[in-house]
Every structure is written in C-alpha cells, then in structure tokens.
C-alpha cells in the first residue's frame, strides 16, 4: 500500500495568527485537503499556541467526524500533562510524541530511546489506555539497538525524522547516505513489528526516493513544503501532487 498523506496544518495556523484574523482558515483548508485525497490532518499544539491553538482541536475533530469519517487526526507534541489532557479531549486516532523543548522553532531530532525508555513507556501506556495509536519521533541513523528500545516502550510506530534528508535539496550528492540511514532504521523497525511514518521537510521532489527505499512506509506528515506549494498550485492540486509523490493513484 502506498504511504498515506497527513497534512500538517501548523503553517496555515501560523499565517492566520500573524494578523489574528479568521483567515486563512485552518478548518477550511483542512477540508479542502481531505476532499482532495489526504488521509488525515496533523497538528502540533505548542504551549505558546504560536500556530495551532488549543481551540482549533475540537474544530478539526468535528470536521473529520462530521465530513470525513475515514480520515485520521494526528496530534504531535512533547508529552507534558497539559499535552496529554489535550489529547484526551481531542481523541485523535494517533498521537506522535516528539522530544521538543517548547522554545524550539520546529522539531529537529528524535528521542534518545535508551535514555528516555522508562519515561516513554509510562506515557505510551497512558495514551494507549485512552485508545490512541502512538508513534515516537526517531532519528534515521540506522541504530537498530535504539529501535529495539523504542519497541520496548510499547509504541505502535516510529516516525522517522527526515529533516537531514530534506536539507539536501541543494546538495543531492549528500542525500544517498542519509536516505540509506533512514531505510536501515525503517528495516529494523519493521522487522520488530513497528510500523513506520516519516516527516519533516519532505517535498514532491524527494518523496519518491524515500518511498522507493521504504516501500512499507505507512504515512508521511507534511506541512511547510506542502503549504509553500499550495501558494503556487492551490491546496487541492498540491495535495494531489503529494499523494502521487507517495505512490498513490490519484
């Protein structure tokens, strides 16, 4: 099965918040994305609410429930008590845990699974008791032992941090070794029964090589590059372009 596309709405929310007006509409553009073929919507509600606001979560939940019941809601973030309460209220299909400091501009590394295994095991257990699938942000460095530690937490998936791969847009000669590291990490995860997602700085240009190397990639979550393309192609056509880059017939 080709990788599914989850559209990250953070960049849209950031544009909205720049002027504190109701447009661009997070709900409206989420609706367009799902109608065009996206399989889900992703948000990262940071404590300072600098892009997605806590008040957006029920709106997106209702959009999916009322109009696109086959779609999924993915909420990502660092597992503070406040974040866990947000998840409990929004009832996402998937929660993606990232090791972000609140001051970070964006996610830029995966978990140290050896160091944080006990902490993550507790959080994963709490989330799974709520009925959510849990994915853990992971570096794509080919470290099979780290993947074993991720599996031991009880998580269902890892999400490969693809930022270094996306950063090769102007130096394609560097992409090959980074892609192979991502592939080896995915191979180790899949061998242990973990499903594999991917996300960060993925584009129409670099997705095909990623899904070729990881044909069992379950899902990609894409925001910045997709939003940038939507300014040129429109949201609906951009979603179709990214779906095709994932290998979907759309």
């Amino acid at each position: 099965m080709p990788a599914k596309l989850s559209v990250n709405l953070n960049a849209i929310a950031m544009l909205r918040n720049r002027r504190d007006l109701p447009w661009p509409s997070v709900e409206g553009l989420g609706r367009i994305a799902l109608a065009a073929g996206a399989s889900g919507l992703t948000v990262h509600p940071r404590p300072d609410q600098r892009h997605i606001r806590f008040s957006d979560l029920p709106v997106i939940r209702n959009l999916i429930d009322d109009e696109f019941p086959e779609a999924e809601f993915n909420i990502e973030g660092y597992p503070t008590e406040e974040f866990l309460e947000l998840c409990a209220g929004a009832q996402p299909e998937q929660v993606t845990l990232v090791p972000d400091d609140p001051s970070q501009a964006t996610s830029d590394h995966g978990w140290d699974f050896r160091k944080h295994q006990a902490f993550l095991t507790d959080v994963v257990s709490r989330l799974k008791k709520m009925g959510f699938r849990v994915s853990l942000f992971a570096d794509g460095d080919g470290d099979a032992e780290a993947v074993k530690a991720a599996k031991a937490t009880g998580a269902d998936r890892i999400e490969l941090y693809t930022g270094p791969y996306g950063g090769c847009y102007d130096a394609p000669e560097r992409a090959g070794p980074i892609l192979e590291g991502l592939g080896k990490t995915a191979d180790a995860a899949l061998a242990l029964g973990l499903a594999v997602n991917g996300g960060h700085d993925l584009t129409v240009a670099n997705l095909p090589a990623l899904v070729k190397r990881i044909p069992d990639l379950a899902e990609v979550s894409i925001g910045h590059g997709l939003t940038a393309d939507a300014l040129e192609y429109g949201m609906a056509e951009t979603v179709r372009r990214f779906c095709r880059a994932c290998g979907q017939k759309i």
Side-chain angles (χ1 to χ4, degrees), residues 106-125:
T106 186
S107 304
D108 63 6
H109 63 285
W111 287 98
D112 182 336
F113 292 116
R114 296 176 181 86
K115 180 178 179 180
H116 297 112
Q117 183 176 333
F119 170 68
L120 288 170
T121 298
D122 176 64
V123 173
V124 169
S125 176

Side-chain angles (χ1 to χ4, degrees), residues 1 48 64 110 132 137 149:
M1 291 287 291
D48 61 7
I64 292 173
F132 311 143
F137 213 48

Side-chain angles (χ1 to χ4, degrees), residues 31-191:
R31 178 181 289 110
I32 292 170
L34 292 173
S39 296
L41 301 174
T42 291
V43 296
H44 185 154
R46 293 180 179 275
D48 61 7
Q49 302 187 68
R50 63 179 178 264
H51 32 62
I52 286 294
R53 296 170 177 158
F54 300 161
S55 59
D56 291 320
L57 301 184
V59 173
I60 298 167
R61 178 73 271 171
N62 290 337
L63 168 66
I64 292 173
D65 288 345
D66 295 345
E67 301 180 37
F68 303 93
E70 299 302 314
E72 290 194 350
F73 191 13
N74 173 46
I75 299 180
E76 61 182 29
Y78 184 85
T80 62
E81 289 299 322
E82 182 179 43
F83 176 79
L84 296 176
E85 289 174 8
L86 289 173
C87 291
Q91 292 289 299
E93 282 69 34
Q94 178 174 265
V95 177
T96 301
L97 301 179
V98 297
D100 282 8
D101 182 280
S103 65
Q104 285 182 219
T106 186
S107 304
D108 63 6
H109 63 285
W111 287 98
D112 182 336
F113 292 116
R114 296 176 181 86
K115 180 178 179 180
H116 297 112
Q117 183 176 333
F119 170 68
L120 288 170
T121 298
D122 176 64
V123 173
V124 169
S125 176
R126 292 173 63 183
L127 289 168
K128 293 190 74 170
K129 286 177 181 177
M130 298 181 203
F132 311 143
R133 182 171 68 238
V134 182
S135 180
L136 303 178
F137 213 48
D139 290 318
D141 53 8
D143 186 343
E145 293 303 314
V147 175
K148 289 181 181 179
K151 171 68 174 179
T153 68
D156 304 287
R157 298 185 179 187
I158 60 169
E159 179 175 325
L160 297 171
Y161 169 53
T162 55
Y165 175 62
C168 296
Y169 65 92
D170 60 348
E173 69 280 359
R174 295 193 289 109
I178 296 174
L179 178 60
E180 186 56 25
L182 292 165
K184 287 181 177 179
T185 307
D187 292 343
L190 292 164

